Each structure stands twice: as C-alpha cells, then as structure tokens.
Amino acid sequence: MDRLLQDIRKYWGRRAPSFSDNINQEDPDRWMDVIEQEIPVSENCRVLDIGTGPGFFAVALAKRGYDVTAVDLTPEMLEQAKKNAGPLAEKIHFLPMDAEHLDFPDNSFDVLVTRNLTWNLEHPDQAYAEWFRVMRPGGTLLNFDANWYRYLYQDDHHAAEHIEKANLRVYDDSETMENIARKLCLSKIDRPLFDLALLDKIGFSRVTADKNIWKKVWSEEQKRENRFTPCFMIKACKEA
C-alpha cells in the first residue's frame, strides 16, 4: 500500500465515529426511493456497496431484502457499519477491500452502488474498470458523488465555501483532507463529465448523469451546507 493510500485510510479511520454519527441522521428511505427506481427489484438481486463507510447504503438495502455485500478499505469504518447494522449484520457480507482491487470473480453482482467514494480514489480509471469486471451482464452501477474539494482549484466566487470548510477543521480535520485532496486527480477535474467519458471508454453502456439528484436525496440542512458542491448521480449499465 502506497503512502497516499495509507494517509487516506488513516484519515477515514480517525473520522469513522463522527462520520457515522453524521450519516445516521439521514433518511435512508429518501435514498432508497431513488435507488429502487433505477435498479431491478428482485429477491435474487446481488448488490455490492463499494466504500460502504458506516454502512448507510448496505443497511438500507438489506432492510429491503437485497443480498448485500459491503466493502471498505478502512477497518474502523467497517466496525461502525457492523454496529449500525445491528441484527442485520449477520445478513450483510462486510469485507475489507480496496475499491480499486476487488477480490471477486468476474460477473458477480447485479447492482453496484457507491457514495462519496470516487473523488477519494487515486486511480478512478482502475476502479471503474474493476467495477465493470465484477458486474454481471445486464447489471447497473449507481455512483453518487460530488465535486468535493474542487474549490481548491476554483476562482474567488467559491471563497465562501472555502471559509465554511475552514470553520469545520476542528470538527473533521479538513486541513488534513485538503492536503490529501490536492494529491487526488479528481479534485482538479470538472465532474461528472469526466466520469461519463471514462465509463463509456471502459465499455459501460447507457451512461447518464443526474446533476439534480441532490434535490431528492438531501435534507434541507444538507442542501444549505453543501450548496456549493451539489450531489450528482451517475448511472451506467453493462450490456446483457
């Protein structure tokens, strides 16, 4: 494991308890209403939650009867996820794993979901290729993300967001994350346009992006706090 990946894992390991508390304040039904409009609803549907963090998606999906496997690089996040899952922890397959190197056979999952992960990857091209490999023909990828830390490379009209982030440093050690973000390629790139082109190149089909998905999944408080970095949803399929 290289130094940057070690720093990323260490940062999120330290953040795991507070991040879990924050995520647990969200409404899972708001997200599931969106997800289930985009994926096949089936008892035999196998779902992979990549970068599960404190298990928000994994638990929400398991509650609705999906066969869920959830992976994360950070052991502390997986511990939080198991804790948050409660009795459902026995039904969810939690595994320590790097999103860029998945230890699954080809064509293993019908649906892949991920949230606030891609921006945090050193090699998003390698990750997307891995996700394509483990997805079954006819499968669907849903990637929810935002241009986190894009403000580091933008003009003065984003200074207000920079100030907001700076004010949170005592809470979430944003200074450390900013230093990491400067070393990550997606911090500098306009998304989701980059992702759409990359997914198409890898071989995904019916690649689309919904830049207004934040209006459906975020609470009013989240909309205010993250107004400079709205969440988008990327959907991509693998031809049967």
Side-chain angles (χ1 to χ4, degrees):
M1 183 182 299
D2 66 28
R3 177 61 184 273
L4 180 55
L5 195 59
Q6 290 179 29
D7 289 344
I8 293 170
R9 186 170 71 170
K10 183 178 178 180
Y11 171 82
W12 287 112
R14 187 168 62 250
R15 282 284 315 278
S18 62
F19 190 71
S20 179
D21 290 343
N22 187 48
I23 292 296
N24 285 337
Q25 297 177 26
E26 297 189 43
D27 180 3
D29 290 333
R30 192 192 302 265
W31 288 87
M32 286 304 304
D33 288 345
V34 168
I35 290 173
E36 289 200 315
Q37 289 178 5
E38 306 292 345
I39 67 174
V41 180
S42 169
E43 292 182 359
N44 298 319
C45 183
R46 293 194 66 199
V47 183
L48 175 62
D49 178 15
I50 311 171
T52 188
F56 183 77
F57 275 177
V59 175
L61 287 158
K63 283 182 177 178
R64 297 205 179 189
Y66 292 93
D67 180 358
V68 182
T69 298
V71 301
D72 201 280
L73 179 69
T74 310
E76 294 87 346
M77 282 293 187
L78 288 173
E79 287 302 313
Q80 290 293 325
K82 292 174 184 177
K83 178 181 176 181
N84 292 333
L88 284 173
E90 296 182 359
K91 296 184 178 181
I92 302 171
H93 311 287
F94 289 109
L95 298 170
M97 204 172 295
D98 183 351
E100 297 178 6
H101 302 90
L102 297 176
D103 189 20
F104 299 113
D106 296 355
N107 308 322
S108 293
F109 298 95
D110 301 289
V111 174
L112 277 65
V113 295
T114 184
R115 176 188 176 193
N116 295 341
L117 169 71
T118 325
W119 73 273
N120 212 25
L121 298 175
E122 285 189 83
H123 309 104
D125 54 341
Q126 184 169 314
Y128 276 136
E130 273 289 89
W131 303 355
F132 183 80
R133 180 185 66 78
V134 302
M135 184 190 298
R136 289 174 176 170
T140 301
L141 164 69
L142 295 180
N143 180 3
F144 298 89
D145 208 356
N147 282 292
W148 303 114
Y149 294 94
R150 182 79 170 94
Y151 68 86
L152 294 170
Y153 298 93
Q154 292 179 315
D155 297 330
D156 291 343
H157 68 280
H158 284 274
E161 180 185 21
H162 193 132
I163 293 171
E164 286 186 32
K165 295 286 185 179
N167 289 337
L168 290 174
R169 283 176 181 164
V170 173
Y171 166 68
D172 68 1
D173 193 11
S174 286
E175 186 172 10
T176 297
M177 193 64 241
E178 284 178 351
N179 291 333
I180 291 173
R182 288 187 177 94
K183 302 173 184 176
L184 296 169
C185 63
L186 292 185
S187 301
K188 309 174 185 178
I189 295 174
D190 183 24
R191 304 177 63 206
L193 292 177
F194 170 85
D195 303 73
L196 300 182
L198 180 56
L199 288 164
D200 183 68
K201 181 179 179 180
I202 288 171
F204 285 91
S205 62
R206 289 172 283 162
V207 181
T208 59
D210 185 344
K211 295 182 180 181
N212 293 311
I213 202 68
W214 59 274
K215 297 178 181 179
K216 296 181 180 180
V217 297
W218 277 355
S219 66
E220 292 305 314
E221 181 179 0
Q222 286 175 306
K223 291 174 185 176
R224 290 192 300 271
E225 291 181 351
N226 301 301
R227 61 187 178 276
F228 296 108
T229 50
C231 172
F232 54 78
M233 179 185 74
I234 296 170
K235 181 179 180 180
C237 302
K238 186 174 182 178
E239 290 296 342

